[in-house]
Amino acid sequence: MSRRRIGFWYRLAAVIAKPPLVVLFKRDWRGMEHIPADGGFITAVNHNSHIDPLSYAHFQYNTGRVPRFLAKDGLFKGGFVAKVMKGTGQIPVYRETTNALDAFRAAVDAIERGECVAFYPEGTLTRDPDMWPMTAKSGAARVALKTKCPVIPVAQWGANLALPPYSKKPSFFPRKTLQVKAGAPVDLSRFYDKEPTAEVLREVTETIMAAITELLEEVRGEKAPQTPYDPRKARREQRRKAAGRSTPQSTEKSTPEDSK
């Protein structure tokens, strides 16, 4: 996409957001050459801070291919917010549908028009204690298999040092470095002729997340855990432990007869 198609609203958002980002943060951007010059594609990005969408959007805006983020469809139904969402080309997700792929029909349409659709596959801020990518949802995999478009993994680090996950107290000084690294397209061709079963979608999702995690290892200079953090398993374990603590202990006293 050429810069002249970015549009008024996106340019206005950039004019508002970029100056404080430049003042508050240093930048370490790598891999811009992997962002396609034309055609529709997906970017799959890790999520570890409420402000990292600004970091990532700044990175990609400077490539000339602006990202279109996914948002719940209710935000597009009227008022100033809806005007801004539509004006900046954001993508509604139709959660009320019973068909999983139909929920992302606007994303598929956008890619077929030649847009970039940005997915946060984890669906929310990571809950991994060390802020590695956790297990992900299948939305990006579904759209990737439907469109067969390039999927560009993107790892980012640094915004979380200014505003950690689930924190409300930012710490901007000393200045943090926003590190963003895009990688080569993830090769998903071996899945294209397969039915998008739950197992296939899981494999595609894990392949995408492995690419993101590998990039983040390079950015952080550390190794990620061999098994991604799974919040569902963690909740089950917490419930199991809570149930164990709440089990009443026997209060019966032993008697001499009991030892016979």
Side-chain angles (χ1 to χ4, degrees):
M1 179 192 299
S2 64
R3 285 184 179 275
R4 67 178 178 274
R5 292 182 57 195
I6 289 176
F8 166 77
W9 285 100
Y10 223 121
R11 290 186 184 279
L12 177 62
V15 167
I16 295 171
K18 286 176 70 173
L21 288 173
V22 171
V23 171
L24 294 173
F25 297 98
K26 295 177 282 186
R27 295 180 302 283
D28 179 6
W29 291 348
R30 288 173 274 171
M32 284 186 171
E33 68 276 10
H34 295 301
I35 301 298
D38 50 50
F41 64 101
I42 287 170
T43 53
V45 193
N46 69 304
H47 194 18
N48 54 30
S49 173
H50 283 301
I51 60 176
D52 67 33
L54 295 174
S55 171
Y56 158 65
H58 189 190
F59 165 84
Q60 195 168 316
Y61 182 91
N62 279 32
T63 71
R65 300 298 310 275
V66 295
R68 310 299 184 183
F69 291 92
L70 297 165
K72 57 184 180 182
D73 64 304
L75 294 174
F76 295 79
K77 293 182 178 178
F80 180 74
V81 171
K83 187 176 182 66
V84 173
M85 297 296 286
K86 293 176 182 178
T88 54
Q90 307 313 313
I91 308 294
V93 177
Y94 300 98
R95 300 184 186 276
E96 75 282 357
T97 182
T98 57
N99 185 302
L101 184 58
D102 280 351
F104 298 99
R105 63 182 181 268
V108 172
D109 292 344
I111 289 169
E112 291 177 345
R113 291 195 307 269
E115 301 275 8
C116 164
V117 177
F119 276 85
Y120 285 94
E122 296 160 279
T124 186
L125 291 167
T126 183
R127 294 185 182 276
D128 181 88
D130 295 316
M131 289 182 277
W132 291 103
M134 61 181 182
T135 55
K137 302 181 184 301
S138 64
R142 292 179 187 277
V143 176
L145 294 184
K146 174 67 175 178
T147 62
K148 297 181 174 62
C149 70
V151 177
I152 310 300
V154 179
Q156 56 180 343
W157 185 257
N160 54 293
L161 303 179
L163 185 65
Y166 307 102
S167 171
K168 296 181 180 180
K169 296 181 179 180
S171 175
F172 295 117
F173 298 101
R175 292 171 74 205
K176 303 341 184 252
T177 299
L178 299 178
Q179 300 181 76
V180 184
K181 184 173 184 177
V186 182
D187 183 6
L188 300 176
S189 59
R190 66 187 183 277
F191 300 106
Y192 289 161
D193 294 329
K194 296 182 179 181
E195 281 293 313
T197 61
E199 177 64 20
V200 167
L201 291 169
R202 183 185 63 78
E203 289 185 42
V204 173
T205 301
E206 289 178 354
T207 300
I208 293 171
M209 293 308 296
I212 297 171
T213 302
E214 183 177 348
L215 288 172
L216 189 58
E217 287 179 331
E218 295 171 7
V219 168
R220 293 177 59 172
E222 304 174 61
K223 291 296 292 182
Q226 189 170 6
T227 302
Y229 180 84
D230 187 334
R232 290 174 298 181
K233 289 183 179 179
R235 286 194 294 270
R236 287 197 296 268
E237 181 64 17
Q238 289 171 355
R239 287 196 294 267
R240 187 190 65 80
K241 290 181 178 179
R245 287 195 298 268
S246 63
T247 300
Q249 300 296 315
S250 174
T251 57
E252 295 181 2
K253 295 182 179 181
S254 61
T255 67
E257 292 295 323
D258 293 331
S259 61
K260 293 181 180 179

